[in-house]
Each structure stands twice: as C-alpha cells, then as structure tokens.
Amino acid sequence: MSRPLFRHLYTRRQLLRSGAAAAAITLTSQLWRAQAQNKKEITIGFIYVGPKDDFGWNQAHAEGKVGLSSLTWVKTVEEENVPETVAVEETMRAMIEQDGATVLFPTSFGYYDPHILRVAKEYPEVQFFHAGGLYIEGVHPKNVGSYFGYLDEGHYINGVLAGSMTKSNRLGFIAAKPIPIVLRNINSFTLGAKSVNPNITTQVIFTGDWALPVKEAEAANSMADQGIDVLTCHVDSPKIVIETAERRGLMSCGHNTSQAALAPKGYLTGAEYNWTSVYTQLAEAIQAGKTLMNGGIPHLIRGGIKEKFIKTSPWGPAASDEAKKAGEAALAQLQAGSLVIYKGPLKDNTGKEVIPAGVEYGQRAIELESMDYLVEGVIGSISS
Amino acid sequence: MATTSSAVSRSVPLRWRSSLEPILLPFGALLASLLIFGLFCAMAGANPFAVYGSIYRAAFGSWFSWQNTLQRAAPLMLTSLCTILPARMGLVIIGNEGALVMGGVAAVAMGLWAGSLAPPVVVFLMALAGMVAGGLWIMVVGALRHYRGVNETISSLLMNHIAIALMNHWVGGPLRDPSFLSKPSSFAIDEANMLGRLWGTRIHFGLVYGIVACLVAYVLIQHTTLGFSVRIIGGNPKVARMVGIAVGKLTLLITFLAGSCAGLAGMVEVAAVHGRANESLTVGYGYSGVLVAFVARQNPAAAVAMAILLGGILASGSILQRSHNLPDATVLVFQGIVFLLILYSESLYGRFDFFRDREPSEPA
C-alpha cells in the first residue's frame, strides 16, 4: 500500500512546483510570451531501471525530470522499471520514433554497454546522456555523453554531522559492493567524521548487491545491536536502512535523495544528487544550439557541491546547533572549492600508506577513481 | 449453450468445428480480459478505448511495433520449450531460468575459447555449448526424478538458484573482465562472432532459432514414434513400462532436449544482445517461459503464438506509461488478467455443443 501514498506525495510536489511556476508566469507573462516564441520545443526521455518512487537512485533522477517542468519549452516522457535488456533498447527507440525525443537520459549504470552504445549508433542525431563516467573518447559514438556527481562530498558532510552527534563514537555504513565509487563514499564519510571527532570508527557491511532489502534490514539491526548510533548507506534505495534506523532509535544520514520523510526523528542530513540543476543546465545548453556532436557540450561532465551537482538535505531535527555549525563550515569550504578531502599522509585500515605526506588528491584526481582501500578508522574489508 | 442457433451452426462446416475450439476459446478469453482490463483502466482514470488503441499500436500496429514485439518474444519461445517437452511426459519442470543461465555462460566460455575460428563455426560451437550445458543441467533433474524419485518441480526450481550463484561466481571470478565497469561481467565475445540481425530489421536471429525449435518440437511430439511414446508416458507411466517403452532413457532424452532449448535461449541472449554473460541473463525469461508453456497448453506450435502475445503485451507496457501516465504495474495487471482467463478457459473445453464434431445428417 505504500506506492499510492508516495504517488500522492509526488503529485503534491508537482502541484506545488506548477503552482509556483504559474505564479511566476502571471507576474512576467509579457516577458515570457516574448521569449517563448523564439524557443524551440525539445522532447527529453527519461528511463529508470526501478520504480521512480524508490527513495533512491531512480527517484533522484525522476525528481530531476520533474524539476525540468519549469522550462516551458521542454516536453518530457518517462518510463520506469525498464530492465537492462533489449527492453531498454526498444524503449529508447520508441521514445525517439513515437514521441519525437531528441535527448535521452537512460539513467541506470548498466544501460550503457551495450544498449546505449547500440542505439546511439542507429540514431546519430539524438543525444544520449548517461550517468556515470564510462565514455571513452574515440571509441564510443560522438552523440553519447557521461555526467556524474561527486556524491562523496555530500557523504563528507554526512560524516561531519555524524561525527559531531555520535555518543558511542561508532558509525555504521551499509554498502552494496566494494567498487571504487562506493569505497570513496565510505572513506569520505569517515574522513568527514574524523575531521570533527578523531575517535570515531565506521563499521562497514557489504550486502553484495544493489537491492537486497532483507540483508539491508539485517545489517541495520545488527549494527543497532552492536551499539552503533548513526547509520548511513550506499545501496540503490536507502529506504529500508533509514526506516530501520529510525525504528531502532538511531540517527541516520541519507543517500541519493532526501529520506527526511522516512526518519522524522533521527535524520541528520543526506548526500543528494541535484539532477534538477544538471538537467536544467543541459537543456538550456541544447536550447542554445550546443550539442555533444558539435562539441558545445563536453562528453564528460562532472561536478560536486560547488558545481551544484550535489546538495545536502536540509539539517534534520536530530542535529544539534553545534553539529549544524560544523556542517555549515565544511559546506562553505566545499562550495568555495577550498577543501581537499584526500590528502596525505593517509593510511588505509591495514596500516598501509595510500597517500604519502605532502600529496593532495582533489575532487577530480584520477587516482581516486580506482580507489581500492578503506581508510584508517573503517572497520571492514573489501575482500569480504 | 446446449443448442446453438442453427443458422450459425450450419454456416460453419461441421468438420472444422473441433479445430476451431482451441482457437476461439483463447480468443474469447482475450476479449473478456480486455473488457475487465478496460474497467481497471477506467478506474485508474484512463479512457479504456484510448488504452486499447495504444496497446494495439504499440504491440502490433506497425512494422516498428512488430519488431519490438518479436524481439521480446524470441527468448520466450525457447524457454517455454523447457517446460513444454517434459510436460508431455507428465513432468512439471520450471528450471528454465537456470538452464538459460548455464547455456549463456557455456556459450560465452566457448566463444572466448574458440573465438579465433571462422565466425560461423564459432556461432555453431557456441550454440552447441549452450545447448549441451542447458541440456545436462535439466537432465540432472530428469535423472533425479527417475532414479531417486526426487520431485522434479522442486529440484528444478532450486537448481535455478544454484545456476545463478554459479554464474555470479564465474563472472565475478575466473571469467571476469576487469575493464568492464557497468557490472561484474565475463569477457566479451568478438563482435564478428555475434549473431546478426534479420535482413533490414533490428530483430536478431534468435527469433528464427525460436520458431524453428518450436516447430521441430511440434513435429517431434505430434508426428514421430518417439513423441508418441512420450505422450504414452504422460498418459500413464505404468502402461508405458508394460508395453516396453524405455521410460528412463526417454526421461533423460526429453529433459536433455528441454534444457538444451533453454540453454540455446541463453546463448542467444549472450550472442545477440549482451556479448557477455552477466546478471542481465536473469531477468525472468525462464519464468515467463513457464507462463507461455502453460498458456499454450503445452503445445509447442501454440507457444510461438503465445510468446508473441506476451511479447506484444510487454511491448505495450512502455506506451501505457508514456502516453497514458498509467503506472508500470498496469501492464502486469493486464498480463495477469489475460493469462488467468486463458487458463480458466481450459475448463470450458468440451462444454460447448457448437464445437462438437457431428455427422452432417445428424440434427443440431
């Protein structure tokens, strides 16, 4: 029965947005009319691998799509629960042929190879944007591009809040798979927490796959039993983890999109993708005549908090003033681009030095993309 | 229903009537399910007639949609045979997913090992590897059933999980391509060794494999002594033994053939769609195949039609979301209603006088 409820939430959100848009339009109607005439309509298709109200990856993109409704010249179509098989290829073709889409956002990581690459070759005039960093210059078609956000900056802020609030000095991180992008979030979370509280440890549990609700619940419960008092996660849908944390009276930090509604007592903040901002920037670039093919839009677009690719959930009710202040300070540094999360000397949790003293790896450092370690303070192993 | 109006009765040649039954009953069930689904759509706030129109356009309305439908139907034809063949000898096997996975992995392994040979040879070897792997996988189920009396439905279901776990181990370990970042996958077979597309379309050759396999299975079951023996076992295994049919050998043979069809489906997925083995093999083609088999009343030729029907329903799911703003689950509701009613219509066979074969002289 949860689905209809969330759908209502959705409509309400949409209503609010369109209400705001309507007000704005009335105020500036003359100006708007003049502008609207020389803008061409663009149809954009969004494809999600799971339900678009999953409180996770898919919902983050679906919210980005809803955010585009403030652009009157953008028409959107969307489809959820599309598996990574010929089904997604057919959906892409149908959006292009039947709905006239010229820009597609197939948002699942696994859509890229071979599905997006195959359809992109068939429709060289349509632009395909994929969330991830899989584009290879010279190998992949020119009408394909990658965009991605450095979500670990949001997890760093999560860590700052968690480190300030914890009483047991024990934090928990439930993760899907030990791959670089997940490890980076765990490490940034831990480094953020250690920046305000050097005594903390982060217990990590890998569930083994992106959506294993039962294992996620078990992991969350066992962490609660061990005396861990702040939980966060990197799985497709954080819903189960956050709900379990709330039920067990733990504090929690979100991932992918805001889970504040699931944890009215214990939510501290969350690392969120700001896809509305990214999609609006891209749509406006395309409206201005820029494309991937003519080089107007780069094939790899990335950003963090500074570039408005990432945002943090508004401070939750559980956060103390002191914790909020620490969070604001770190956020301000990230917004200014002056904070380097990974700098030497940095040891992994086996005591091996992974970044030597005097070396700094900024947001875009290529070394961080192949991360294969857990920093000191994390309890867990990537080979487990 | 007992006395159908004689004007209608006489206008249809009497000897065709019994063959009309298996066509008209499912068709009637389809119409009835459209009616119920229309009510559902109306309740969800969509105009049922617009929805019908969209479903038709998205599934069968143009060559573009036909290609969409046929692509989705291709693997289901092959996986359905994994249930159909043993069903004819009285075994209910639902290990289609596992056999598909084993076939896919074996095909990739063969494609990597023999990749340097001439492409047609490689494709043949991959198909062979997929069929042997899937065949042996289900033959184990048949052997357990025949020699140890293990329930074939349960064992084949459980073996699905073993197959998926084995695949995850192989594509995450020995066969893993570390440079492929999307998800743990095997190395890719060479582009030259991939199955091509049918001339001028985007449909891959798997469709041909599916149709040919279904027709061969049909002839095998309906028109050969072997098929006749299989059907006798299905009717009464004790009688079959008494008349000297080698039940054990046939059980092993039929379960091997059944598994090899699902294994071939795995090979097709690998060689025509993904180029690698990974978790995308386990998207439920095996379980949908079970559905197709039952709806086709375990008839291999009817499986072609039912796979196309299911492919069409899946293809139309897309447009229900995009044009009518109906939730994704709508297509599952439709699929559920259609197949429930088609299965229910089975109980109506023989209930209508109209379909009974009669001597022309006999009054209606």
Side-chain angles (χ1 to χ4, degrees), chain B residues 2-363:
Chain B
T3 50
T4 330
S5 113
S6 54
V8 180
S9 304
R10 294 217 174 89
S11 65
V12 182
L14 290 170
R15 61 197 177 84
W16 288 2
R17 290 197 183 166
S18 61
S19 18
L20 273 179
E21 191 171 27
I23 296 169
L24 284 185
L25 275 183
F27 192 70
L30 190 63
L31 287 184
S33 51
L34 276 174
L35 199 72
I36 299 177
F37 179 63
L39 287 175
F40 173 83
C41 290
M43 282 185 332
N47 174 358
F49 296 100
V51 171
Y52 295 155
S54 293
I55 289 181
Y56 175 73
R57 269 195 305 282
F60 307 109
S62 65
W63 179 226
F64 179 85
S65 354
W66 262 105
Q67 294 187 63
N68 187 342
T69 298
L70 290 175
Q71 287 216 75
R72 293 172 194 257
L76 305 182
M77 295 177 190
L78 287 168
T79 52
S80 72
L81 288 176
C82 187
T83 300
I84 289 176
L85 291 175
R88 300 309 287 268
M89 64 189 327
L91 302 179
V92 180
I93 285 185
I94 54 177
N96 319 24
E97 191 95 355
L100 180 146
V101 164
M102 296 315 276
V105 174
V108 158
M110 178 59 87
L112 296 173
W113 182 71
S116 51
L117 301 175
V121 180
V122 181
V123 169
F124 173 76
L125 287 176
M126 283 200 297
L128 196 67
M131 290 172 73
V132 169
L136 289 176
W137 192 253
I138 297 300
M139 199 167 90
V140 170
V141 175
L144 281 172
R145 164 79 207 194
H146 183 71
Y147 296 108
R148 306 299 312 157
V150 177
N151 181 303
E152 77 283 358
T153 314
I154 304 295
S155 68
S156 62
L157 174 69
L158 295 179
M159 279 177 66
N160 285 343
H161 298 281
I162 301 177
I164 293 167
L166 281 173
M167 178 194 71
N168 284 336
H169 168 69
W170 283 324
V171 304
L175 285 174
R176 175 158 192 183
D177 177 359
S179 70
F180 191 72
L181 300 172
S182 294
K183 50 195 153 195
S185 299
S186 71
F187 286 94
I189 58 172
D190 208 26
E191 190 74 33
N193 298 331
M194 295 277 285
L195 281 184
R197 297 175 180 195
L198 297 176
W199 307 268
T201 71
R202 56 176 201 271
I203 307 170
H204 57 68
F205 262 94
L207 181 68
V208 179
Y209 289 18
I211 293 175
V212 169
C214 284
L215 295 182
V216 168
Y218 179 77
V219 172
L220 181 80
I221 292 293
Q222 301 297 139
H223 298 289
T224 65
T225 8
L226 185 120
F228 185 58
S229 318
V230 165
R231 283 183 284 142
I232 290 177
I233 302 175
N236 188 333
K238 281 184 189 151
V239 169
R241 258 190 212 102
M242 271 161 60
V243 298
I245 293 173
V247 177
K249 270 186 199 157
L250 274 182
T251 304
L252 295 186
L253 176 68
I254 289 296
T255 45
F256 179 84
L257 289 179
S260 64
C261 291
L264 187 60
M267 176 269 178
V268 166
E269 275 302 291
V270 161
V273 180
H274 299 292
R276 314 167 177 268
N278 56 37
E279 63 185 14
S280 292
L281 285 175
T282 60
V283 288
Y285 288 140
Y287 295 107
S288 305
V290 177
L291 185 66
V292 169
F294 276 87
V295 175
R297 304 182 77 222
Q298 316 295 2
N299 177 334
V304 174
M306 288 305 150
I308 291 175
L309 177 66
L310 182 54
I313 292 176
L314 293 174
S316 61
S318 183
I319 205 129
L320 293 182
Q321 286 194 52
R322 286 182 288 123
S323 302
H324 297 277
N325 230 353
L326 287 165
D328 160 68
T330 314
V331 72
L332 290 178
V333 171
F334 184 42
Q335 188 181 319
I337 297 175
V338 169
F339 288 133
L340 265 182
L341 285 191
I342 290 185
L343 285 175
Y344 170 67
S345 73
E346 275 204 34
S347 66
L348 297 178
Y349 280 86
R351 299 277 285 273
F352 298 101
D353 263 0
F354 176 76
F355 295 124
R356 217 161 274 164
D357 281 325
R358 267 158 291 170
E359 291 302 314
S361 55
E362 199 183 323

Side-chain angles (χ1 to χ4, degrees), chain A residues 311-332:
Chain A
K311 60 181 178 183
T312 52
S313 313
W315 309 128
S320 68
D321 288 342
E322 192 196 346
K324 286 181 198 168
K325 207 186 275 172
E328 300 281 0
L331 202 53

Side-chain angles (χ1 to χ4, degrees), chain A residues 165-352:
Chain A
M165 292 305 300
T166 179
K167 291 191 185 69
S168 65
N169 285 340
R170 300 183 63 196
L171 316 176
F173 200 117
I174 296 167
K177 299 184 182 194
I179 60 171
I181 131 176
V182 177
L183 298 178
R184 187 165 171 177
N185 285 335
I186 299 170
N187 289 337
S188 292
F189 175 75
T190 308
L191 292 172
K194 283 171 86 174
S195 74
V196 291
N197 181 353
N199 300 322
I200 63 96
T201 57
T202 305
Q203 171 77 53
V204 60
I205 293 181
F206 293 105
T207 58
D209 217 333
W210 296 105
L212 293 172
V214 176
K215 274 198 179 176
E216 288 157 17
E218 279 170 4
N221 277 316
S222 100
M223 284 183 169
D225 293 340
Q226 290 169 39
I228 284 167
D229 64 353
V230 188
L231 276 193
T232 188
C233 61
H234 184 164
V235 293
D236 261 3
S237 169
K239 185 166 181 271
I240 296 291
V241 173
I242 305 294
E243 277 180 343
T244 310
E246 181 76 359
R247 197 160 47 235
R248 298 292 304 263
L250 273 56
M251 292 175 279
S252 55
C253 297
H255 171 79
N256 274 348
T257 182
S258 176
Q259 286 95 36
L262 298 174
K265 284 205 201 82
Y267 200 65
L268 292 174
T269 182
E272 293 182 40
Y273 287 107
N274 189 358
W275 295 134
T276 295
S277 144
V278 179
Y279 293 161
T280 308
Q281 290 172 35
L282 281 171
E284 271 162 358
I286 291 163
Q287 180 62 256
K290 294 176 184 169
T291 62
L292 289 165
M293 294 78 92
N294 67 19
I297 301 174
H299 285 92
L300 286 169
I301 322 167
R302 278 146 182 255
I305 283 176
K306 184 183 168 201
E307 293 81 7
K308 294 196 168 52
F309 275 48
I310 302 299
K311 60 181 178 183
T312 52
S313 313
W315 309 128
S320 68
D321 288 342
E322 192 196 346
K324 286 181 198 168
K325 207 186 275 172
E328 300 281 0
L331 202 53
Q333 278 183 299
L334 283 168
Q335 270 155 355
S338 60
L339 179 75
V340 177
I341 299 178
Y342 291 91
K343 51 187 171 200
L346 185 68
K347 281 186 186 159
D348 73 5
N349 64 357
T350 63
K352 200 177 106 201

